[in-house]
Amino acid sequence: MRLLYALAATAALTAVSLAQSPLNTLFAANNGGGNGWTMYFDVTLNAPLQFTSLDVNLFTGSISGSVDMYWTPNTYVGNDTNAGAWTLGGSGAVTANAMDTPSSVALSSFTLAPGNYGI
């Protein structure tokens, strides 16, 4: 089962040579979609970054599933309907905590070089 309910994506980013530095967003209700829903955003990296985990806001607690994190060069704009433009960066299992609280996903880590990316 793919558990991508109401995903309010928050990438926990770890610089290759630095300590872990999370990038956070709000965890508010009613900001997502149903099973299989996708969240897109762009990032600009000034240094190589290793993605190791992701905090998500899931619709309900105690449900287990998995989350996949894909990337594409430059931007997600114009690529959101082109499955061939995306590369699987990492994936991991998740068990949902209560709604509006972070549910952590330990990703199979991946590193992106400096540049612009759609996630």
Side-chain angles (χ1 to χ4, degrees), residues 1-118:
M1 171 184 159
R2 295 278 181 225
L3 182 69
L4 294 175
Y5 297 148
L7 227 159
T10 311
L13 306 174
T14 304
V16 172
S17 61
L18 300 175
Q20 190 174 33
S21 174
L23 171 65
N24 292 313
T25 190
L26 301 175
F27 285 89
N30 303 319
N31 62 350
N35 190 25
W37 183 70
T38 303
M39 166 75 176
Y40 297 100
F41 59 96
D42 286 332
V43 296
T44 298
L45 305 180
N46 295 320
L49 288 178
Q50 182 179 21
F51 292 73
T52 60
S53 65
L54 182 69
D55 288 342
V56 294
N57 185 11
L58 300 169
F59 185 69
T60 188
S62 303
I63 295 176
S64 296
S66 63
V67 173
D68 296 329
M69 188 170 179
Y70 289 84
W71 64 271
T72 189
N74 303 316
T75 180
Y76 75 89
V77 177
N79 291 311
D80 52 333
T81 59
N82 180 4
W86 296 88
T87 299
L88 178 62
S91 59
V94 63
T95 298
N97 292 323
M99 184 171 42
D100 300 336
T101 62
S103 298
S104 294
V105 180
L107 293 171
S108 49
S109 69
F110 66 101
T111 301
L112 292 177
N116 297 317
Y117 299 92

